[in-house]
């Protein structure tokens, strides 16, 4: 285990060793949490599903506003995820979780969550601008692309240079967001950590265990893609499932020793 904060007056944050089997264990533990709280799962599943329907509707009708819709989801998503983490945290500690607690758990962490969401929105705006630059370099559309032209450009094998550039740019920003968010929100909930420390810890987990983290990320992507077909109805299950599992990913990869226990 690697020490992240060596100061004796502060909590010591260690990055635990994780194996390739651990992401599958996190999914199993998340599934157990989900099954044990079906009504809470259904509520959050409906919330994730409605957000996905909103983004899909905007993309189909006004693709130029898709990034704005995604930004709105980025503002709401962390609060929904924190509610799921709160449920798993209560069950882990042997306390009965409640819907009220899951919906209000963010109130005492508003400052840290606000800072974290601001970082996410900035990264998402940079991601969107970089994507537009890629489109501008490879295409001269004479205006904002419509849904048909976007899909044709992305899925046309003849545009392999554009596809490669788009994947590289998207992959870079997606990896940066994932590395920053992998354990940061559950850590804020669990330890009332500031956003900077939480993001640094999350990135250390990713850097120290890049291969396992990528397996975890690929599992998330695969489940989300499957959940989006058809009409994103799979998010009713996959959304809460990944939320519960992400709490266990945090607990399995980060160890915190309080300063007074050192």
């Amino acid at each position: 285990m690697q020490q992240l904060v060596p100061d004796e007056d502060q909590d010591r944050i260690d990055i635990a060793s994780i194996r390739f089997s651990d992401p599958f264990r996190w999914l199993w533990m998340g599934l157990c949490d989900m099954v044990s709280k079906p009504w809470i799962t259904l509520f959050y599943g409906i919330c994730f599903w409605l957000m996905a329907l909103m983004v899909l509707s905007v993309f189909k009708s006004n693709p130029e506003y898709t990034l704005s819709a995604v930004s709105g989801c980025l503002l709401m998503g962390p609060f929904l995820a924190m509610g799921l983490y709160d449920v798993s945290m209560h069950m882990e500690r042997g306390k009965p979780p409640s819907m009220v607690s899951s919906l209000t758990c963010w109130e005492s962490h508003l400052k840290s969550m606000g800072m974290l969401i601001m970082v996410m929105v900035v990264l998402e705006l940079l991601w969107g601008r970089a994507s537009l630059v890629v489109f501008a370099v490879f295409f001269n559309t004479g205006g904002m692309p419509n849904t048909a032209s976007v899909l044709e450009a992305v899925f046309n094998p003849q545009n392999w240079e554009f596809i490669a550039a788009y994947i590289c740019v998207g992959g870079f920003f997606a990896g940066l967001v994932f590395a920053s968010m992998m354990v940061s929100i559950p850590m804020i909930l669990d330890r009332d950590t500031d956003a900077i420390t939480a993001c640094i810890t999350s990135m250390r987990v990713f850097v120290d265990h890049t291969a396992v983290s990528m397996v975890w990320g690929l599992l998330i992507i695969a489940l989300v893609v499957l959940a989006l077909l058809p009409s994103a109805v799979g998010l009713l299950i996959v959304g809460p499932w990944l939320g519960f599992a992400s709490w266990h990913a945090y607990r399995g990869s980060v160890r915190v020793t309080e300063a007074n226990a050192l």
Side-chain angles (χ1 to χ4, degrees):
M1 302 175 82
Q2 301 185 20
Q3 182 176 332
L4 183 61
V5 182
D7 195 327
E8 294 182 356
D9 295 329
Q10 302 182 50
D11 293 345
R12 191 179 71 191
I13 304 173
D14 296 324
I15 308 302
S17 298
I18 53 179
R19 300 168 295 180
F20 283 101
S21 60
D22 284 334
F24 299 95
R25 182 172 58 86
W26 301 333
L27 286 174
W28 172 251
M29 296 172 73
L31 183 63
C32 293
D33 289 353
M34 184 177 69
V35 171
S36 66
K37 297 298 174 183
W39 293 112
I40 294 178
T41 295
L42 179 61
F43 171 79
Y44 281 97
I46 291 174
C47 291
F48 285 118
W49 181 49
L50 291 177
M51 286 198 304
L53 289 181
M54 181 188 70
V55 173
L56 290 173
S57 176
V58 171
F59 179 73
K60 290 179 180 179
S61 58
N62 302 98
E64 64 271 21
Y65 296 115
T66 301
L67 289 177
S68 298
V70 172
S71 296
C73 292
L74 284 176
L75 292 173
M76 288 298 299
F79 292 105
L80 291 175
M82 182 173 269
L84 293 166
Y85 304 151
D86 180 77
V87 174
S88 288
M89 181 179 71
H90 274 78
M91 289 193 290
E92 180 182 295
R93 296 176 179 178
K95 300 177 180 179
S98 69
M99 181 68 76
V100 174
S101 174
S102 71
L103 291 174
T104 59
C105 63
W106 54 269
E107 291 180 342
S108 58
H109 310 285
L110 190 57
K111 183 177 179 180
S112 295
M113 288 295 292
M115 178 65 71
L116 188 63
I117 290 173
M118 186 167 63
V119 172
M120 287 178 59
V121 171
V122 170
L123 287 175
E124 191 270 338
L125 292 175
L126 290 173
W127 186 351
R129 178 60 62 180
S131 298
L132 289 177
V133 169
V134 173
F135 267 99
V137 169
F138 285 92
F139 301 98
N140 182 16
T141 60
M144 293 300 298
N146 55 34
T147 304
S149 63
V150 170
L151 292 176
E152 181 181 0
V154 171
F155 293 104
N156 188 347
Q158 295 181 352
N159 297 328
W160 67 268
E161 299 98 335
F162 161 76
I163 296 172
Y166 197 78
I167 290 176
C168 288
V169 170
F172 171 78
F173 281 99
L176 187 59
V177 170
F178 177 71
S180 302
M181 301 295 293
M182 184 175 172
V183 301
S184 54
I185 296 178
M187 186 173 182
I188 289 174
L189 175 66
D190 182 38
R191 308 297 307 178
D192 195 25
T193 309
D194 64 274
I196 301 301
T197 300
C199 283
I200 291 175
T201 302
S202 186
M203 295 187 77
R204 282 296 302 273
V205 172
F206 184 85
V207 171
D208 289 355
H209 303 288
T210 303
V212 179
S213 298
M214 290 182 67
V215 170
W216 177 230
L218 289 174
L219 284 172
I220 292 174
I221 292 172
L223 288 171
V224 170
V225 169
L226 291 174
L228 291 176
L229 302 173
S231 302
V233 70
L235 285 178
L236 289 168
I237 295 176
V238 171
W241 184 15
L242 291 176
F244 289 129
S246 294
W247 167 261
H248 295 289
Y250 155 69
R251 295 291 291 152
S253 56
V254 177
R255 298 286 184 271
V256 180
T257 305
E258 294 184 2
N260 55 17
L262 294 175

